[in-house]
Amino acid sequence: MTNGKKNPTGAGAIIALLILAGAILGGMLGQPSAGLLGGAALGGVIALLLWLRERGH
């Protein structure tokens, strides 16, 4: 019944949560835009790493 393929891991929630967390943390430090960009960058890196890990299998 199964064909041996795994379902891909979605990284959208990780990206969204890191963007929010970055904006909140940046807001507490007086730099919400920098926090938002940092969260988006970190989320993108994690999404890329997840994609590379699944691509190898």
Side-chain angles (χ1 to χ4, degrees):
M1 187 152 197
T2 60
N3 59 4
K5 289 179 117 178
K6 289 182 65 175
N7 289 332
T9 303
I14 294 170
I15 295 170
L17 289 173
L18 286 173
I19 289 172
L20 283 172
I24 292 169
L25 183 62
M28 290 192 301
L29 297 174
Q31 294 291 325
S33 296
L36 184 122
L37 290 174
L42 184 59
V45 167
I46 291 173
L48 180 65
L49 291 174
L50 284 172
W51 177 72
L52 288 171
R53 184 186 72 175
E54 290 185 4
R55 186 172 167 239
H57 291 145

